[in-house]
Amino acid sequence: MLVASRMTPPRLTPRVSSDAKLALVEFVLGSLDIEASADQALDWLATYAGVRQALCMAVDASGRHLLSVGERGVELAASWGFSIELADQDQPLVRMLNSRVPGHFSGGAVPAWSPLGPSPFHVIPLRAPQSDMHGPADGLLLVAGVARLSADVLWAADVLGRQLFRLRSRHSLSETRFGRERVLLYSIINAVSDPILLTDIEGKLIIANSRAEKLFYSPDDASEGRRQAVSFNNMLFSAALSSGAMEPDEPARRELLLVDPIEGSDLLFEHISSAVRDLREGTSVVSILRNVTDLGRATAEFEDSQRRLRVVETEVREERHRLELIIDSVADPILVTDPNGDIVLMNAPSEKIFAFHWGAADQVQRRVRANGAHFTSFISNLLFSGAQERWLGEINLTNPETGAPLPVEAVAGKILSEKGELTWVVTILHDRTEAMEKGRLYEELKHASEELEMKIHAATADIAQQNELLRRQALELEQASTLKSQFLANMSHEFRTPLNAILGYTHMLLQGVQGGIRPEQRTSLTRVDSNARHLLALINDILDITRIEAGRMPLHVTTFRLPDLVREVMSELEAIISRSKLQVVSDISPRTPLISSDRQKLKQIVLNLLSNALKFTPSGWVRITARHDAPSKTVVITVADTGVGIAPGDQEKVFEDFRQLDTSTTRPFSGTGLGLAICRRLAGMLGGRISLRSTVGDGSQFTLTLPLRLRRK
Amino acid sequence: MTMTTKKDGQLVLVVEDYRDAREMYAEYLRFSGFRVEEASNGVEALEKASELLPDIILMDLALPRMDGWEATRRLKQDKRTRRIPIVALTGHALAGHAEGARQAGCDSFVTKPCLPDALVAEVRRMLESSKGVKRGSSKASRT
């Protein structure tokens, strides 16, 4: 407690709670019993200051004795009735009554009669601060068992001193009451945890409690920083006081920012000040400082978060604005519905369908309501669809302005909260008018295409049918042709069985098997034989042609030497050659390579060509030559004569069936007229061809060109 | 032309369904000194061949009841008749027929129409060549 700068009370360290001190002060002030007060104080010392041995002594009312009024840890015998004559000025304790400071007895200085025994002890003079500064003390406090006197011990001694003084001077009631109340007041304001100050109106300090003392008072040995902080605080406080007008009954409230002199941190106080008018002392100011640092911090944080909230709100508003712009700019209608199915947001295209202006035509309103009903029905489907998060459907809406059908495809998505609860449903509608029109056109196109396809199909079927008919006819023709050839072949064979008998019996008759015959009979039989042979030749040739055409002339390919074949033919024709008187020349190179072909058919061709040449050459020569043409891998056989020759117009006809230019039948081999036709067919079978060069009267030249190796097809 | 007595003549079996041709060949063969037996189908040919064991058989291939190929095959499988030379008579001068006749076991063949003297010449030729191999190979020589 600091009571103005002119007072020097013991400096208290806050080791003992103010409540305990207040309790002691209260007890003392409420008591008029010196011994009870001493006892209480000694109890307090034992409890709070650790003092085990103590003795309290007081000057009696007569002013002649120093008497023991209370003890702790002291032998009763030693203290009971212990008194000291104040007249004995040499008594060490008597001398201590006049001392201003505590004393210490130890060692040899401890009196032999000490009530505390031989232990060293402290002696504290007990006097009231306001008592005569130079008079003797009202009592003594003897303390043993502690090395040093603590602040609490000194404080308790102070309290005891004031009580002794108060009780001794009870003769003045008013004096006593004032003192009591003053002590109580000091104790009360000291016990308050908020700093309390009494100042003049300029802020000059009159009384401060211990809390305020820390802020506005620095001890002499304080650090430089602390002193500066204290002077700074005093300055701020004075400035705060002078800033506001002082109204007597109206406490002023303001914020005051001070510095904690020890911590150095900012302390924010609510400063409540009120003016106190006193007739004698003039106006003074009571200030109570309430620490609101934590409150201030909380307020600052609150404001900070408020500010941040405002920023976020602004951002959200902008974000929403942007979102609305985006949603509005989407050409497709977008709607947001809450879990009840009520529309909470829609973009501009949606509004054209689901909203109408006040005063819109009745039919427009009706259509809008119908659209809304359709939409609600769609949404309720989604809401009842359970877990499904997306819903796709088609809604047949109407354009409210025109009444035109507006088919839309609707895609709805559920928006769920973090807890999985349905919060919104967002639906996007897509106009399907165009798609449906396209679909309709596509269907028409498809239909037209299908019709076309059907027509083509029908036409194709017709053609296929006709083709099938033609194919069948061709097959029938082919079969007919084959049957005809087959028939001819069989018939030719059947012809030969009776011919065989005719020829055989004619021959037997001519040989005289059944007896001799007359010359006339022989002539007739010879004509029968000759005609029968001619018929046989015709039948054989027809048989060959029909077999070739019926595909019943098989090929038998072998490898053979051409010169051998020509020699065979020459020898078979030997009889005719010798009769003809013609020069017949064979010019076949012995180096002619081997031929792979059908030997019998080649021989038939060569035989036919040679016999033709002999037949139609009256004089001159007949020559057969053969050469190998390596590049074309062919062999070329030529039969040339100096015969009658064939006119250019007839040269192709000689290869036709039943053509014979010279119809003379006088020759032994008059021929059938089928020879060259057969030769050309046989040459074709062998992969070759026959050509003719001839001049009338200058002979003919038949050329057979054959591949060296016949390839089977 | 060598004339031999009927008693000494070798036996020729003529198998031919066409009566005129069969009798014509038979007459000319007898005229040429052979003994002749006739058959008009394949079954009859087998019976007479087994019974008479002729020296040579003239076999027409196109026959009723059993054709010449089958008859020839059976004759050539029978130990008693396998050595008898068989000359096939074919109306089809085709390589296929000749090949078929050979595969059936014919020793030679002639193509109709065939004059009687050409047939007799072929018979003589076959008898001559089979005489040389009678004790050797069972296979007759071929043309």
Side-chain angles (χ1 to χ4, degrees):
Chain A
M1 178 191 265
L2 182 68
V3 183
S5 54
R6 59 181 182 265
M7 298 173 73
T8 55
R11 230 175 271 135
L12 299 180
T13 50
R15 268 168 47 193
V16 179
S17 78
S18 42
D19 287 347
K21 287 181 177 177
L22 198 57
L24 178 61
V25 170
E26 267 175 344
F27 179 86
V28 169
L29 286 177
S31 171
L32 292 175
D33 186 341
I34 185 76
E35 289 185 346
S37 297
D39 213 38
Q40 191 72 24
L42 290 172
D43 268 355
W44 192 93
L45 278 170
T47 307
Y48 298 108
V51 176
R52 301 276 173 264
Q53 276 190 302
L55 184 69
C56 184
M57 303 179 80
V59 177
D60 67 1
S62 65
R64 286 160 65 181
H65 297 93
L66 188 62
L67 298 173
S68 167
V69 293
E71 64 282 314
R72 275 291 175 278
V74 177
E75 288 292 322
L76 276 177
S79 61
W80 188 253
F82 179 74
S83 69
I84 297 168
E85 291 282 331
L86 288 180
D88 187 359
Q89 292 294 322
D90 294 333
Q91 226 307 328
L93 292 178
V94 173
R95 279 211 298 278
M96 282 304 293
L97 283 172
N98 293 317
S99 169
R100 308 299 306 172
V101 294
H104 186 243
F105 296 86
S106 64
V110 177
W113 41 264
S114 166
L116 298 175
S119 315
F121 60 94
H122 296 276
V123 179
I124 308 163
L126 301 174
R127 65 175 82 228
Q130 65 271 48
S131 64
D132 185 359
M133 301 294 277
H134 304 292
D138 293 317
L140 293 173
L141 179 66
L142 279 66
V143 177
V146 292
R148 266 188 338 104
L149 291 176
S150 69
D152 291 329
V153 175
L154 293 173
W155 177 79
D158 185 54
V159 171
L160 271 174
R162 289 165 200 269
Q163 180 70 341
L164 290 180
F165 173 74
R166 188 172 69 95
L167 294 178
R168 197 169 61 82
S169 50
R170 286 196 53 181
H171 60 279
S172 166
L173 183 65
S174 60
E175 182 73 20
T176 305
R177 272 183 63 198
F178 175 74
R180 265 178 74 188
E181 283 167 9
R182 191 169 165 161
V183 169
L184 189 59
L185 196 61
Y186 284 147
S187 302
I188 288 169
I189 67 167
N190 251 346
V192 174
S193 58
D194 289 337
I196 299 174
L197 307 95
L198 180 67
T199 60
D200 63 14
I201 53 172
E202 284 155 5
K204 196 178 166 196
L205 201 59
I206 300 168
I207 300 173
N209 70 352
S210 59
R211 297 278 175 175
E213 188 188 339
K214 283 185 195 162
L215 291 171
F216 298 104
Y217 173 76
S218 57
D220 296 340
D221 57 350
S223 68
E224 180 64 23
R226 184 170 172 182
R227 273 204 298 275
Q228 274 182 6
V230 165
S231 70
F232 189 61
N233 283 349
N234 278 307
M235 205 166 71
L236 287 169
F237 183 72
S238 302
L241 275 187
S242 58
S243 68
M246 284 298 159
E247 292 301 324
D249 300 320
E250 199 63 32
R253 287 169 185 269
R254 61 179 78 78
E255 283 190 351
L256 179 60
L257 187 66
L258 299 176
V259 181
D260 187 324
I262 296 162
E263 304 279 333
S265 57
D266 281 352
L267 294 171
L268 183 66
F269 293 94
E270 186 186 28
H271 178 194
I272 305 162
S273 60
S274 37
V276 180
R277 282 197 173 76
D278 191 276
L279 291 175
R280 288 184 300 174
E281 301 280 335
T283 304
S284 57
V285 178
V286 173
S287 293
I288 299 169
L289 300 176
R290 187 177 295 155
N291 189 337
V292 292
T293 306
D294 291 344
L295 195 62
R297 198 174 297 141
T299 306
E301 279 173 7
F302 177 70
E303 281 175 356
D304 193 40
S305 63
Q306 283 285 352
R307 202 161 47 245
R308 249 179 277 154
L309 200 62
R310 276 196 296 277
V311 170
V312 170
E313 266 179 7
T314 310
E315 283 175 354
V316 167
R317 210 177 296 123
E318 284 173 357
E319 187 69 34
R320 188 191 161 115
H321 183 63
R322 272 201 298 276
L323 208 60
E324 279 175 352
L325 276 179
I326 290 168
I327 290 175
D328 276 349
S329 68
V330 174
D332 285 339
I334 299 176
L335 297 104
V336 180
T337 39
D338 63 18
N340 296 324
D342 294 329
I343 297 173
V344 293
L345 181 72
M346 58 172 119
N347 65 349
S350 285
E351 282 171 5
K352 287 181 187 165
I353 301 170
F354 295 103
F356 52 82
H357 295 292
W358 190 81
D362 281 352
Q363 54 183 8
V364 172
Q365 295 190 17
R366 260 201 314 279
R367 286 165 189 158
V368 164
R369 284 195 203 95
N371 286 344
H374 283 305
F375 179 71
T376 305
S377 154
F378 168 78
I379 286 294
S380 48
N381 276 334
L382 170 64
L383 293 176
F384 287 118
S385 71
Q388 202 171 345
E389 285 200 5
R390 287 191 161 273
W391 188 261
L392 186 71
E394 287 179 12
I395 314 178
N396 288 315
L397 301 174
T398 310
N399 184 324
E401 293 296 328
T402 64
L406 182 62
V408 296
E409 184 184 63
V411 183
K414 289 176 177 174
I415 296 180
L416 304 177
S417 70
E418 287 174 356
K419 295 173 187 165
E421 294 164 340
L422 178 63
T423 49
W424 313 108
V425 176
V426 177
T427 309
I428 300 177
L429 307 178
H430 186 64
D431 190 349
R432 292 192 66 243
T433 311
E434 202 178 324
M436 286 178 79
E437 180 63 16
K438 275 183 184 167
R440 195 183 60 77
L441 288 174
Y442 174 73
E443 281 301 320
E444 272 182 17
L445 195 64
K446 204 167 114 184
H447 186 64
S449 163
E450 277 169 3
E451 270 185 5
L452 192 63
E453 201 177 327
M454 274 169 65
K455 282 177 183 167
I456 290 171
H457 195 71
T460 311
D462 271 0
I463 290 170
Q465 202 177 348
Q466 288 179 5
N467 276 346
E468 175 60 22
L469 212 59
L470 285 171
R471 199 182 64 80
R472 213 172 287 168
Q473 284 174 353
L475 198 67
E476 281 169 5
L477 281 173
E478 198 186 327
Q479 283 173 347
S481 171
T482 307
L483 281 173
K484 184 201 73 179
S485 299
Q486 184 78 49
F487 171 74
L488 280 173
N490 287 342
M491 207 171 62
S492 301
H493 175 62
E494 295 302 325
F495 284 158
R496 295 201 299 179
T497 303
L499 255 183
N500 187 40
I502 292 170
L503 281 168
Y505 279 108
T506 305
H507 188 71
M508 278 166 63
L509 286 173
L510 282 171
Q511 279 199 326
V513 170
Q514 291 168 332
I517 51 171
R518 294 196 303 276
E520 310 89 72
Q521 287 173 324
R522 176 168 296 274
T523 304
S524 298
L525 280 173
T526 304
R527 293 218 172 142
V528 169
D529 183 64
S530 169
N531 279 282
R533 282 174 192 273
H534 184 64
L535 184 58
L536 181 63
L538 277 169
I539 290 168
N540 281 341
D541 283 356
I542 290 169
L543 188 60
D544 278 350
I545 287 175
T546 54
R547 274 202 303 228
I548 291 168
E549 291 192 342
R552 291 178 58 185
M553 179 78 89
L555 278 171
H556 293 277
V557 178
T558 55
T559 302
F560 54 90
R561 286 168 44 80
L562 185 61
D564 292 351
L565 183 139
V566 172
R567 206 172 299 125
E568 271 178 46
V569 173
M570 295 286 277
S571 69
E572 281 182 29
L573 293 172
E574 183 55 40
I576 302 169
I577 292 168
S578 56
R579 268 206 307 268
S580 70
K581 299 170 189 168
L582 293 169
Q583 187 188 357
V584 178
V585 181
S586 168
D587 182 12
I588 314 291
S589 166
R591 290 183 299 170
T592 305
L594 291 172
I595 295 175
S596 286
S597 194
D598 188 318
R599 194 179 195 276
Q600 190 193 341
K601 291 181 178 57
L602 179 56
K603 184 177 167 185
Q604 192 174 345
I605 296 169
V606 173
L607 187 66
N608 196 284
L609 291 177
L610 261 180
S611 58
N612 272 351
L614 293 169
K615 199 186 300 176
F616 295 106
T617 304
S619 61
W621 48 262
V622 169
R623 185 164 62 214
I624 177 166
T625 57
R627 65 180 176 85
H628 170 226
D629 185 60
S632 60
K633 294 178 180 173
T634 53
V635 61
V636 181
I637 300 165
T638 306
V639 177
D641 61 50
T642 55
V644 294
I646 302 163
D650 295 327
Q651 284 181 6
E652 193 54 35
K653 289 181 182 170
V654 296
F655 294 104
E656 292 175 10
D657 299 346
F658 298 107
R659 282 282 177 171
Q660 192 172 17
L661 299 176
D662 183 353
T663 54
S664 165
T665 56
T666 56
R667 289 173 172 279
F669 283 92
S670 52
T672 59
L674 289 169
L676 283 172
I678 292 171
C679 283
R680 172 166 276 192
R681 283 183 173 86
L682 288 175
M685 283 183 76
L686 299 181
R689 64 180 186 278
I690 294 175
S691 59
L692 165 62
R693 262 192 0 209
S694 180
T695 310
V696 176
D698 201 21
S700 305
Q701 181 178 313
F702 286 85
T703 305
L704 168 65
T705 308
L706 274 184
L708 267 181
R709 306 202 180 287
L710 173 59
R711 290 202 182 133
R712 289 169 176 279
K713 284 168 188 170
Chain B
M1 188 180 294
T2 310
M3 297 295 287
T4 51
T5 63
K6 285 180 182 179
K7 196 180 177 180
D8 297 335
Q10 291 170 295
L11 182 62
V12 179
L13 178 61
V14 178
V15 187
E16 166 70 78
D17 64 321
Y18 187 55
R19 193 194 67 188
D20 285 5
R22 185 179 69 235
E23 290 182 353
M24 177 183 78
Y25 289 132
E27 184 178 352
Y28 196 77
L29 282 165
R30 286 190 193 100
F31 170 73
S32 300
F34 293 96
R35 289 185 292 131
V36 178
E37 282 293 330
E38 297 172 33
S40 58
N41 62 61
V43 176
E44 196 184 343
L46 287 181
E47 287 169 3
K48 292 206 169 175
S50 304
E51 184 193 335
L52 303 171
L53 294 173
D55 294 293
I56 191 165
I57 300 172
L58 288 176
M59 180 77 79
D60 183 26
L61 293 176
L63 292 171
R65 292 186 70 183
M66 180 190 290
D67 66 27
W69 290 284
E70 181 60 27
T72 302
R73 204 169 292 122
R74 294 196 182 188
L75 287 171
K76 287 298 175 183
Q77 284 170 356
D78 191 326
K79 277 181 184 174
R80 296 169 298 171
T81 56
R82 69 157 53 133
R83 296 194 179 188
I84 303 170
I86 298 175
V87 176
L89 282 166
T90 171
H92 303 269
L94 291 173
H97 277 221
E99 193 61 30
R102 278 203 186 101
Q103 281 177 1
C106 292
D107 301 281
S108 123
F109 74 96
V110 295
T111 305
K112 290 192 283 185
C114 178
L115 292 177
D117 59 346
L119 183 71
V120 169
E122 180 64 17
V123 166
R124 287 189 200 283
R125 194 181 68 79
M126 288 304 295
L127 286 172
E128 281 300 312
S129 64
S130 70
K131 207 186 282 175
V133 295
K134 252 183 182 171
R135 284 185 296 268
S137 165
S138 64
K139 283 267 177 188
S141 66
R142 303 192 297 199
T143 54

